[in-house]
Amino acid sequence: MDSPSSEIKIISECFVKPKTKPEKWKEPYHLSLMGHFMLSLYYIQNGLLFLKPSNGAIKRRDFMETFLQKLKDSLAKALVHFYPLAGRLLSSKTDDATSYSVFVDCNNSSGARFIHAKTDLSVGDIVGSKYVPLVVQSFFDHHKAVSSDDHTMSLLSIKVTELMDGVFIGMSMNHAIGDGSSFWQFFNSLSEIFNSQEETTNNKLLRLKNLPIFREGSGPFCSFPFSQHDELIRRIEPPVWKERMFHFSYETVRYLKSKANQECGTTTISSFQSLIAFIWRSITKARKLLNDQETTCRLAAGNRSRMNPLLHMNTFGVYVSLVKTTAKTGNLLENEFGWAALKLHQAVIKHTGEKISSDMDRWLKSPSNLRFFDTNVVHIGSSPWFNKYGSEFGMGKAVAVRSGCGNKVDGKVSAYPGREGGGSIDLEVCLLPEFMEALESDQEFMSIVS
C-alpha cells in the first residue's frame, strides 16, 4: 500500500490572508485557559475524502484549477470571521523573566497555509484497505507538529491532495487555538462559503449560519513558570501502531444502551457512554492485563454547557477537558458490561463547572501533559455529534473522514458519525499490532461490528 507509487507530490503552496482585516486584527488574541493546556499537544488533523465529479463535460484538470482557486477565495473570506487562525503565536516574558504567556499576533503574519498535492492513489486505495494506510498521514501538513512549536508556523493549514479519482481536503489546526467543536465549525463554515459563492458578490461576505463568538477580555489569561515556551513541550515518540475503522450501526448502539441500562436498573446511561464502555472492556481484554492492574478510560468532554456562566455553543476556542474513570482490570472484566457504562456515566455527571475550574487550577500549579501518554488507557477523542459530513465543497457527501497522526497513541479512539447517519457511529481505533490482533480475534467484539 505504502509503495513508491503512493508518494505524495507537492504541486504548489502559498499563504492566504483574510479578504478584509477585521476590527480586532491589530489586537493580540489571548488563548483561553484550556488553550494553554493544549500547547504541548499536537495539531488537530482531520479531513474529508471525496470522489471527483463524474460529469464528463468537466475536464479533470479544469475541475481542479477551478476548485483550488474557489477554495482559496473561500478561505480568504472565512478567515475574516475566524481571524485568529490567520495569525502566529507569540510569547511574552514577565519583567523578571521567570514566566511567560502566549498569545496570537494577527498583525504580523503571512496568513494560513494552503497546499496543493497530488498522488497516483485512488479513493479505493484509502477506503478499501483493512487498516488505515500510513500514507494518509501525508495528506496533512504540520506532520507531528506540537501546538507550541516554532512560532513561525501557521496556525491553520489546508492541504488539498488530488487522487486519481478523488480529492482529499486535510486541515491542520493548532490545538491551542481551537478544540474539535471549533475545528468543525470552521470546516463547515468554509464549505458554506464555498457553496454560496455564486449567490454573493465578490465584495460581499456571506452571513454564516453559525458565526463564531470570541471571548471578550484583554491581557494574558495565565502565565507559565518557565522562561522559555519550549520548556512546556514534552515529545513522546510513540511506537508503530495499527489503525482501523470499526462501524457500529444505529441498531447496535441502541442495543448496547438498552443492555447497559437494563443491567444497572436505570434509564440514564446514554448510547455513547454504552458504546465507550464496550470498547473500553474490549481493548482492556485484548491487552491481557493482570487482574490487579488498573485501566483508565478518558473522554474529551465539551465544557461550554458546563461553564458558569454558560457559554454559547459557537464560542470559539478550547473549551474541552478530560473526564476519566479508573478500575482494576479484574473488576472491569468480571462485572457485567453495564457496570463499566455506569462508571462512565457517573464520571460524566460529576464533570461540573466547579470540577473543571478545580482541575485547571491544579494543572496551572504544575503544568505538564505527560499523563496524556499514560499506559493502559483508552482515550476517547472527537465526537459523533460533530457535523463531519456536512461539508461538501460542491462535490456531494464525502466518502469518508480520516485523521492525521496528531495525538495518537496506543488506545486512542476517535469517534465519528457513521456516513449513513441515523445514530450510527464509526470508531477509529489505534492499537499496538499485538493488541489489534487480539481485538480482531474477540468474537464478542467482532460480532457487533458492521
Side-chain angles (χ1 to χ4, degrees), residues 41-59:
L41 296 185
Y42 295 88
Y43 273 59
I44 305 179
Q45 296 177 316
N46 280 277
L48 296 172
L49 178 63
F50 297 91
L51 285 168
K52 286 181 180 175
S54 57
N55 186 347
I58 303 176
K59 293 182 179 180

Side-chain angles (χ1 to χ4, degrees), residues 195-263:
N195 294 334
S196 302
Q197 282 200 57
E198 289 81 3
E199 303 171 15
T200 58
T201 64
N202 290 333
N203 297 320
K204 183 179 179 182
L205 286 177
L206 176 72
R207 175 73 179 183
L208 294 175
K209 295 177 182 177
N210 295 300
L211 277 170
I213 300 171
F214 293 98
R215 183 193 64 255
E216 295 296 330
S218 60
F221 284 84
C222 74
S223 60
F224 293 109
F226 307 126
S227 58
Q228 300 292 333
H229 77 271
D230 56 4
E231 292 182 52
L232 181 66
I233 302 175
R234 300 292 186 270
R235 297 185 188 278
I236 304 294
E237 189 65 31
V240 176
W241 63 78
K242 280 194 173 181
E243 186 176 350
R244 182 172 173 179
M245 305 293 299
F246 293 101
H247 179 72
F248 300 86
S249 67
Y250 166 69
E251 291 75 18
T252 295
V253 175
R254 184 175 60 178
Y255 161 76
L256 291 174
K257 176 183 178 180
S258 175
K259 179 176 170 63
N261 280 286
Q262 186 176 18
E263 289 176 356

Side-chain angles (χ1 to χ4, degrees), residues 181-415:
S181 177
S182 292
F183 180 99
W184 287 103
Q185 182 188 10
F186 176 79
F187 213 130
N188 289 328
S189 296
L190 180 62
S191 176
E192 182 184 351
I193 292 172
F194 182 98
N195 294 334
S196 302
Q197 282 200 57
E198 289 81 3
E199 303 171 15
T200 58
T201 64
N202 290 333
N203 297 320
K204 183 179 179 182
L205 286 177
L206 176 72
R207 175 73 179 183
L208 294 175
K209 295 177 182 177
N210 295 300
L211 277 170
I213 300 171
F214 293 98
R215 183 193 64 255
E216 295 296 330
S218 60
F221 284 84
C222 74
S223 60
F224 293 109
F226 307 126
S227 58
Q228 300 292 333
H229 77 271
D230 56 4
E231 292 182 52
L232 181 66
I233 302 175
R234 300 292 186 270
R235 297 185 188 278
I236 304 294
E237 189 65 31
V240 176
W241 63 78
K242 280 194 173 181
E243 186 176 350
R244 182 172 173 179
M245 305 293 299
F246 293 101
H247 179 72
F248 300 86
S249 67
Y250 166 69
E251 291 75 18
T252 295
V253 175
R254 184 175 60 178
Y255 161 76
L256 291 174
K257 176 183 178 180
S258 175
K259 179 176 170 63
N261 280 286
Q262 186 176 18
E263 289 176 356
C264 297
T266 183
T267 59
T268 57
I269 301 173
S270 73
S271 300
F272 192 51
Q273 291 163 7
S274 304
L275 177 60
I276 295 312
F278 181 76
I279 194 72
W280 179 26
R281 292 179 86 248
S282 299
I283 291 178
T284 301
K285 189 193 307 183
R287 285 172 166 165
K288 298 180 173 63
L289 302 177
L290 299 176
N291 283 344
D292 62 348
Q293 286 184 278
E294 285 193 340
T295 173
T296 298
C297 185
R298 297 189 307 218
L299 298 164
N303 293 339
R304 290 168 178 79
S305 62
R306 294 179 169 93
M307 304 294 284
N308 186 15
L310 299 178
L311 295 177
H312 192 282
M313 293 308 291
N314 288 348
T315 303
F316 192 88
V318 181
Y319 299 98
V320 64
S321 56
L322 297 178
V323 174
K324 65 178 183 178
T325 186
T326 300
K328 295 287 186 180
T329 298
N331 291 335
L332 179 67
L333 300 182
E334 291 168 6
N335 280 290
E336 296 285 348
F337 149 73
W339 183 85
L342 184 60
K343 280 185 70 69
L344 283 169
H345 173 72
Q346 291 170 339
V348 171
I349 293 299
K350 293 176 183 177
H351 193 64
T352 61
E354 291 74 15
K355 185 178 185 303
I356 294 167
S357 297
S358 175
D359 289 347
M360 290 307 301
D361 287 342
R362 185 167 58 253
W363 177 78
L364 282 171
K365 294 176 182 177
S366 181
S368 172
N369 282 348
L370 285 179
R371 296 299 301 274
F372 184 86
F373 303 101
D374 280 351
T375 57
N376 301 340
V377 170
V378 174
H379 179 87
I380 313 299
S382 200
S383 170
W385 315 131
F386 294 155
N387 184 19
K388 299 180 181 181
Y389 285 99
S391 299
E392 298 191 355
F393 297 97
M395 293 181 286
K397 193 172 186 178
V399 176
V401 183
R402 291 294 184 266
S403 64
C405 72
N407 302 306
K408 286 183 178 174
V409 292
D410 174 57
K412 174 67 182 294
V413 178
S414 298

Side-chain angles (χ1 to χ4, degrees), residues 1-8 119-121 125 133-135:
M1 177 65 244
D2 293 301
S3 62
S5 63
S6 64
E7 179 185 359
I8 307 297
T119 179
D120 291 335
L121 294 171
D125 291 327
L134 189 61
V135 71

